[in-house]
Amino acid sequence: MVLAEPGVIDAWGAVTRCADEAGLTAYNVGDLCRDAVHRNTEWGERFQAHLRAGELVPDALLVRFVAEALDRSRERWMLFGFPRTVGQAESLAALGHAPGRVIRIALDEARAHRDWRLAARQGELGQLLADHRLRTAPVTAFYQDSTPVHELRRPDSIEELVAGLRALVPPATGPAAPN
């Protein structure tokens, strides 16, 4: 499972490259949800009903949707950006999908000013990071009790980020260390 902080622009691209190389299936939950809505699947219709009503998609529904996707995957997977709460993490684990490791990709604030893509967001970046860290700290703490949690600082390039992920995610032919 991979959790990336705001401002880590290349994180999803690095995750997909690493997953491909390691023989895993990569899932971006936001993309999965948008795709379900776009294709008008049964899940998408359920999501749309809540969105039309001005509601967030309930955790129970979202967790079942993610678990169903993971059920269809290969034995090993990389889940990006989910779960975001302890309740989601507990529910996903109860459905048989606890990660074998958690990788946090942290923005290196000291180097953030050098990334032209973040220049327009410099004023709000500190608050975005503080809010994100406050919201995700309980999830990280939840996993630290039972799962290896690794942190990668945002490198200068997607290649460095892929190399950092590659070091933490053994290939499918290596020792079993799912998710």
Side-chain angles (χ1 to χ4, degrees):
M1 183 180 74
V2 180
L3 302 172
E5 290 186 338
V8 182
I9 294 168
D10 297 327
W12 175 236
V15 166
T16 58
R17 281 178 51 184
C18 180
D20 287 346
E21 291 173 10
L24 295 117
T25 303
Y27 294 99
N28 179 320
V29 174
D31 287 350
L32 287 173
C33 292
R34 283 185 288 279
D35 183 60
V37 169
H38 177 75
R39 291 185 304 113
N40 291 320
T41 68
E42 183 179 333
W43 284 109
E45 290 174 10
R46 291 178 188 173
F47 297 156
Q48 279 289 70
H50 290 284
L51 297 174
R52 280 190 206 107
E55 305 168 348
L56 293 174
V57 175
D59 280 356
L61 182 64
L62 190 56
V63 169
R64 284 195 320 269
F65 171 71
V66 171
E68 185 177 292
L70 296 177
D71 286 341
R72 291 189 312 265
S73 74
R74 301 178 208 165
E75 184 176 314
R76 295 172 22 141
W77 43 263
M78 288 179 79
L79 186 58
F80 182 79
F82 190 87
R84 293 182 182 212
T85 68
V86 171
Q88 291 172 346
E90 291 171 336
S91 296
L92 197 58
L95 293 171
H97 297 293
R101 70 190 53 183
V102 174
I103 302 169
R104 291 185 65 249
I105 305 174
L107 181 68
D108 186 341
E109 293 175 75
R111 295 196 290 181
H113 71 280
R114 295 189 328 219
D115 192 328
W116 63 269
R117 297 167 292 185
L118 298 175
R121 298 177 73 191
Q122 287 297 321
E124 66 185 87
L125 193 56
Q127 189 61 49
L128 282 171
L129 287 170
D131 292 347
H132 175 82
R133 290 171 181 161
L134 185 63
R135 281 191 321 273
T136 60
V139 176
T140 302
F142 169 80
Y143 282 119
Q144 284 175 327
D145 289 339
S146 61
T147 307
V149 176
H150 307 275
E151 183 169 305
L152 293 174
R153 286 269 166 214
R154 167 54 167 91
D156 283 328
S157 69
I158 191 170
E159 288 76 19
E160 289 180 24
L161 188 50
V162 170
L165 289 168
R166 191 181 295 130
L168 295 171
V169 180
T173 58
N179 323 316

